[in-house]
Amino acid sequence: MALTPAPASYESVALAVQAGALGIIDVDSTSDDFAAPLRAVHRGETWLPDAQVRGVLGQVAADIGLTAAERRSRLTSVVLGLVPLMGAVATIMSLLWRRYLSHIGVRPVDLAIDPATRVIDAIAAVSILLGVAGPLLLIGSWL
């Protein structure tokens, strides 16, 4: 059994369970409140009050971080989401480049620069941006 402070903090409850306590009793409990927990522990059962356990689990849930697999899954989702976005950017830039050149009366063939090179430049720029800012996604507090 573990004797915890009257408003049992989640740290004290978690440390008591980690140390091997099968039951938790508040300091402010009366002598009548000790009988049921002691009998339960004597039978080998656990005695954790529902209200305290619910509060402890609620507070501990906020402290749980991302696992490596979850982080990898999020980054994979971001990369897979960028593929259609890059296709859309390539299409729009190709269209805009052709329209711009047609307004000034120049064919892309005359300049020996087709819209695909501009799209490749845009893809390279976005890739460089991701290379610089991508590792910042691994900082948990920024997610």
Side-chain angles (χ1 to χ4, degrees):
M1 293 296 291
L3 193 62
T4 61
S9 65
Y10 77 91
E11 291 97 358
S12 62
V13 173
L15 288 173
V17 171
Q18 183 182 15
L22 293 175
I24 296 171
I25 299 176
D26 288 343
V27 173
D28 290 343
S29 299
T30 63
S31 59
D32 296 336
D33 295 336
F34 280 84
L38 290 175
R39 283 191 194 108
V41 170
H42 183 66
R43 288 189 305 262
E45 301 173 0
T46 58
W47 180 267
L48 299 171
D50 292 338
Q52 286 179 345
V53 171
R54 192 174 303 116
V56 167
L57 291 176
Q59 290 175 344
V60 171
D63 294 339
I64 295 176
L66 289 176
T67 63
E70 290 171 336
R71 188 177 301 121
R72 191 176 309 115
S73 173
R74 283 187 182 185
L75 290 175
T76 302
S77 299
V78 168
V79 169
L80 289 177
L82 286 177
V83 170
L85 182 65
M86 292 305 291
V89 167
T91 303
I92 291 170
M93 285 190 66
S94 177
L95 175 71
L96 292 175
W97 183 248
R98 286 178 192 267
R99 283 198 177 176
Y100 168 71
L101 290 178
S102 68
H103 281 296
I104 61 172
V106 178
R107 296 182 309 175
V109 178
D110 295 338
L111 295 175
I113 299 174
D114 67 330
T117 58
R118 297 296 163 203
V119 171
I120 290 171
D121 290 343
I123 291 172
V126 169
S127 297
I128 290 171
L129 249 150
L130 283 176
V132 171
L136 298 176
L137 293 175
L138 299 175
I139 300 173
S141 62
W142 289 16
L143 292 176

